[in-house]
Amino acid sequence: MIQRPNVVDSCFLRYEQEHPSFRPYSGLIMHAVGPAPAVHRVREQVADRVGRMPTLAWRVSKRGRRTVWEADPHFRPHDHVHEVRLAEGTTPEEAVDDLLCLPMPEQSPRWGIWLIHGYSDREYVLFYRSHHAGQDGQAMMDTLTTLFGTRTSIAPLAAAGAPAARQPWWQRIPARAIAQNLKDQVEALRPTLSWSPQRPLTGKARVQSAAVPMAWLRETGQAMGATSNDICLAALSHAMRQWLPENWIASGRNGRDLHVCLPVSLREPEERFMVGNRLSACRIPLSFWEDSTPARVTAISRATAPARTEETRRVLRGQLRLPEWLVYRFLRQSTQARNGLDTTGLVRLPERLAVGADPIETVVVTQFLHGEHALGVAFLAYGDEVVASVTADCALDEAGDLATLWASAVEHMWHQAAADSRKSMQVPTTST
């Protein structure tokens, strides 16, 4: 048994306790090709592979003021695989929307897989969900590749609950992390773009998605001296500017920038199969009002660059040693602004997935909404595609399809980068 393994785990559990309507479940929708298998076939595959990722047999809970991780002595992987047979006329998207906020019992590891079928004899869906106190994004990617990957899975590098080595007390004071948090709070107090759908949030969410070729992002980034993640964010800024109704922007806020909360994975190689969260986040301005695409990409690339350095990762890891009450206060403050926009950044599934012999063609991320945050945007690279998925409160239903606007923005940027590249390669001719 490990007590308080991670302050992020503790904060999500405390938030859920104090606000019972909060459902911190993230998910991955897998679209498989072929006739739907019997649910026991899926259970057999999961049971056969679950031992390769021991964290799936661990549970996290609050005991008084303590956060405790422990192996579940009654763990049965079959209990975590469920079946949803759709009634005629029901779509898998509707089934996913209904499952987004479904709670999971605290007495067992809080993850599950839902086999959704009955809508087609040529395809079906597997929906993997997990509680954020139990898994961060990297752990979810590892879970999918462990349970459904087509390559030989990597054996765990460390025991699921191995405690971290103790440091001398003077090295455990995260002074730079405290300074970074104070800096972030000052930044958060500066005027930013504020917007609201002008109606109460419903507490119910829907998921929309759109895909583009990975090559578009890679080639555009190479042409503009940016990463594929930077291109995702620049396209999101362009799409948000098209999508956001003018009357939703607070009076006097034109010209103020829109920020996103960009997660940064802090997992070291030896922590890959450890329980709990190993992540923090950085605030990134999106140059919302910038009309020039190259200028927007340059500004975003400059803003994200520090998050890719080892120096920043060391500072952010120090935040994991801050007192729970302090981190929780930062978390709650961040949820109060309706202009909050959460994103995963660009995450990758490193290998192809399958259910038995049935290939999984596409994978879509779902996020949870919290506080006054009305939407979240995720980017996932799988195979030759990148899928943008938007999890949005139903109060935003009439605003349009943000995911499709993002895909159109990426395509426009790709064509623009290709055109600029051709111009730069043209050799001027001289008359004789």
Side-chain angles (χ1 to χ4, degrees), residues 23-85:
R23 296 283 186 265
Y25 296 100
S26 301
L28 293 155
I29 309 166
M30 297 169 277
H31 293 265
V33 176
V39 67
H40 73 85
R41 296 292 186 192
V42 182
R43 287 171 174 155
E44 288 173 358
Q45 178 167 330
V46 170
D48 182 58
R49 298 187 177 199
V50 74
R52 302 173 186 175
M53 192 162 182
T55 53
L56 294 176
W58 285 60
R59 64 189 179 194
V60 60
S61 60
K62 278 280 191 183
R63 293 185 181 175
R65 300 182 63 180
R66 299 183 306 166
T67 299
V68 178
W69 273 101
E70 58 189 351
D72 180 3
H74 307 295
F75 175 69
R76 293 179 68 250
H78 286 57
D79 296 336
H80 293 260
V81 181
H82 316 279
E83 181 179 17
V84 177
R85 187 186 298 272

Side-chain angles (χ1 to χ4, degrees), residues 24-310:
Y25 296 100
S26 301
L28 293 155
I29 309 166
M30 297 169 277
H31 293 265
V33 176
V39 67
H40 73 85
R41 296 292 186 192
V42 182
R43 287 171 174 155
E44 288 173 358
Q45 178 167 330
V46 170
D48 182 58
R49 298 187 177 199
V50 74
R52 302 173 186 175
M53 192 162 182
T55 53
L56 294 176
W58 285 60
R59 64 189 179 194
V60 60
S61 60
K62 278 280 191 183
R63 293 185 181 175
R65 300 182 63 180
R66 299 183 306 166
T67 299
V68 178
W69 273 101
E70 58 189 351
D72 180 3
H74 307 295
F75 175 69
R76 293 179 68 250
H78 286 57
D79 296 336
H80 293 260
V81 181
H82 316 279
E83 181 179 17
V84 177
R85 187 186 298 272
L86 298 183
E88 184 176 355
T90 306
T91 67
E93 290 78 17
E94 291 172 327
V96 166
D97 292 344
D98 289 341
L99 290 169
L100 287 176
C101 295
L102 182 71
M104 297 185 190
E106 300 179 16
Q107 296 75 23
S108 61
R110 296 169 80 175
W111 63 270
I113 298 169
W114 281 259
L115 169 63
I116 303 172
H117 66 100
Y119 63 95
S120 170
D121 58 2
R122 297 184 301 274
E123 62 178 80
Y124 57 95
V125 163
L126 289 183
F127 186 23
Y128 175 80
R129 301 173 63 235
S130 68
H131 196 288
H132 205 327
Q135 288 190 322
D136 57 22
Q138 183 58 56
M140 293 181 69
M141 298 300 114
D142 283 337
T143 297
L144 257 61
T145 53
T146 297
L147 300 181
F148 302 105
T150 55
R151 301 178 191 168
T152 302
S153 296
I154 301 174
L157 302 180
R166 296 287 289 177
Q167 295 177 300
W169 67 268
W170 61 87
Q171 295 182 16
R172 297 201 304 271
I173 300 176
R176 298 186 63 186
I178 294 174
Q180 180 65 42
N181 270 270
L182 292 174
K183 177 178 179 293
D184 289 344
Q185 290 301 299
V186 171
E187 290 289 333
L189 293 174
R190 292 182 178 178
T192 58
L193 182 70
S194 180
W195 64 274
S196 166
Q198 304 298 318
R199 66 194 70 176
L201 299 182
T202 66
K204 297 180 180 179
R206 301 192 196 283
V207 180
Q208 295 176 321
S209 64
V212 299
M214 181 67 206
W216 288 3
L217 294 164
R218 184 171 55 250
E219 292 168 10
T220 304
Q222 290 172 349
M224 295 187 174
T227 67
S228 295
N229 182 62
D230 295 334
I231 302 304
C232 285
L233 295 178
L236 174 61
S237 178
H238 182 85
M240 282 288 295
R241 190 166 171 184
Q242 290 181 294
W243 173 85
L244 193 60
E246 184 68 26
N247 65 327
W248 285 13
I249 299 177
S251 177
R253 295 302 177 99
N254 284 349
R256 295 179 178 178
D257 209 351
L258 179 68
H259 290 70
V260 295
C261 184
L262 182 68
V264 179
S265 177
L266 304 176
R267 283 188 182 269
E268 301 292 354
E270 64 273 15
E271 296 176 326
R272 179 175 174 186
F273 292 95
M274 281 188 175
V275 295
N277 289 267
R278 299 289 190 279
L279 86 165
S280 188
C282 297
R283 285 169 54 87
I284 304 296
L286 289 183
S287 297
F288 183 79
W289 298 102
E290 177 59 64
D291 292 322
S292 166
T293 297
R296 177 185 285 129
V297 171
T298 298
I300 290 175
S301 181
R302 188 182 304 118
T304 60
R308 299 191 293 272
T309 65
E310 185 58 33

Side-chain angles (χ1 to χ4, degrees), residues 3-24:
Q3 298 179 7
R4 297 190 62 191
N6 192 295
V7 67
V8 179
D9 310 342
S10 303
C11 286
F12 277 113
L13 291 176
R14 179 178 172 183
Y15 193 169
E16 187 178 37
Q17 281 185 342
E18 296 182 1
H19 302 272
S21 62
F22 178 51
R23 296 283 186 265

